[in-house]
């Protein structure tokens, strides 16, 4: 069975078939952070979900081009820029840097491209010009440009592909200027917003006068520039379905840049919401967590990543500190099993064990069923521990099990516990102690051991030789 994924466009699980005729290359766009604050744990759930999709596609042998934009021009940012009286770039740079650091802490593979909206104004202007030329956009007296839903629908296109919309209530030509609005407020949306005093210094020249882009057009312009007018996968949190993604489809397909019959995006994937301790996250409830809040509580990036990968991406996930403890315990079980395997394993690389890999792939092929994938892994770990305790596993089998884990972890990315680097001075002492033992100078060996201890390191003798670890 090949990979099957739920497609929001069809509201059904479909075979995933790449657009590339060779079936090899995949273009994937994920809506990235709006850099006006630190990303919270709900945002991280979506970004880790995007990382899982990319890693699993790579595991299956595809060549993935993953683009994640940086939204650095939009209503909330401009408001904060005005409040803090900081230049736009200076304000966003701080949160952008924090975002990339957090991405690393959570062991997400770096997207291949991370375009900033502020650096794609010419592409955005060109796309709006196409929509104007096709009669799907119109200018207003304040120097703005709006997308006409009426004209778009009159041409036979469907507005409301990802969500069902009720057009009976809609008044033709009514406009919405803000980047975010509810389904009930469906109206012509802003492609370009004419400059107003509240924008401060955030504006660019355009054929329609000074102003700035609407949020939705940014993603259409950047995704099509880097991935072409039609690409395979577009991901985001379910809160982005409307209006953001719906508007992206209308703008991108309205521009008529696809081949006849071609779509802007083949497959839309949306990650579900996250609750914290059973409730919607809110600063006022004290259940609002950024990554740094959780790190400050003593959790590690891999524990947080593991917790966020326990639930299916389309299920609302209840994130709890208890769940983080459970992730810590689960990882400790895996680490313990891996440590024993490493002590036993033959040095030669062994091929990965096919049955577990097969079960893992079967689970993830089924719309990324992570629960079944973890189930197979823990079952295998139990079985391995049983064999190890009965001395029923040889060095070759242990090496094979380790190779299997490496393959699985290329998708899960929960990695190894952070090994503390051994300083050269400590390594020299360890070598001296080993040399003394070899020369049967046990007095000297013990003296070096004590010296290491005084410096905070303890020697562990293992079947593979001696190593040091922090006291
Ligand atoms: Zn977007």
């Amino acid at each position: 069975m090949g990979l099957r994924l739920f497609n929001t466009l069809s509201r059904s699980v479909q075979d995933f078939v790449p657009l590339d005729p060779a079936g090899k290359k995949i273009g994937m766009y994920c809506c990235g952070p709006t850099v006006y604050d630190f990303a919270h744990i709900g945002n991280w759930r979506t970004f880790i979900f995007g990382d899982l999709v990319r890693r699993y596609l790579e595991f299956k042998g595809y060549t993935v081009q993953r683009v994640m934009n940086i939204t650095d021009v939009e209503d909330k940012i401009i408001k904060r820029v005005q409040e803090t009286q900081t230049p736009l770039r200076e304000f966003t740079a701080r949160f952008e840097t924090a975002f990339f650091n957090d991405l690393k802490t959570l062991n997400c593979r770096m997207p291949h491209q991370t375009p900033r909206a502020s650096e794609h104004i010419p592409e955005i202007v060109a796309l709006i010009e196409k929509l104007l030329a096709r009669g799907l956009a119109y200018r207003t007296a304040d120097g703005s440009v709006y997308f006409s839903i009426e004209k778009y629908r009159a041409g036979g296109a469907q507005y409301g592909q990802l969500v069902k919309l009720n057009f009976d209530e809609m008044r033709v030509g009514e406009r919405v200027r803000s980047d975010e609005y509810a389904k009930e407020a469906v109206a012509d949306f802003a492609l370009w917003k004419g400059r107003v005093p509240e924008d401060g210094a955030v504006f660019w020249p355009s054929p329609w006068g000074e102003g700035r882009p609407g949020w939705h057009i940014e993603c259409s312009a950047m995704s099509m520039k880097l991935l072409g007018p039609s690409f395979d996968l577009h991901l985001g949190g379910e809160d982005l379905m409307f209006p953001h993604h719906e508007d992206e489809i209308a703008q991108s397909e309205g521009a008529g840049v696809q081949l006849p019959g071609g779509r802007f995006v083949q497959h839309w994937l949306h990650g579900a919401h996250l609750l914290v301790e059973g409730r919607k996250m809110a600063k006022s409830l004290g259940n609002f967590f950024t990554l740094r809040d959780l790190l400050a509580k003593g959790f590690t990036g891999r524990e947080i990543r593991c917790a966020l990968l326990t639930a299916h991406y389309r299920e609302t996930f209840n994130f709890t500190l208890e769940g983080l403890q459970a992730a810590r315990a689960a990882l400790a079980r895996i680490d313990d099993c891996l440590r024993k395997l490493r002590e036993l394993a033959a040095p030669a690389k062994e091929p990965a064990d096919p049955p577990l890999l097969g079960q893992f792939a079967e689970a993830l092929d089924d719309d990324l069923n992570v629960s079944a994938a973890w189930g197979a892994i823990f079952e295998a770990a139990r079985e391995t521990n049983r064999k190890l305790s009965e001395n029923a596993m040889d060095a070759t089998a242990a090496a094979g099990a380790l190779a299997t884990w490496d393959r699985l972890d290329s998708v899960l990315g929960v990695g190894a516990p952070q090994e503390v680097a051994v300083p050269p001075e400590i390594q020299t002492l360890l070598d001296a102690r080993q040399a003394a033992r070899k020369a049967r100078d046990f007095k000297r060996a013990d003296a070096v051991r004590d010296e290491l201890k005084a410096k905070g390191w303890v020697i562990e003798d293992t079947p593979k030789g001696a190593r040091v670890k922090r006291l």
Side-chain angles (χ1 to χ4, degrees), residues 29-32 69 71 215-216 218-220 222 234-236 240 244-245 248 268:
Y29 187 88
C30 306
C31 287
N69 71 298
T71 300
W215 170 37
H216 318 300
E218 297 173 358
C219 279
S220 285
M222 290 186 283
H234 196 314
L235 273 82
L240 295 187
H244 189 54
H245 290 163
E248 274 191 51
W268 284 89

Side-chain angles (χ1 to χ4, degrees), residues 16 20 33 68 85 140 162 205 237 274 292 332 335 374 378 434 447 463:
F16 175 72
D20 173 21
M68 181 196 271
Q85 289 294 306
T140 52
L162 299 171
L274 173 140
R292 59 208 56 223
D335 291 344
W374 283 116
F378 283 111
Q434 292 311 92

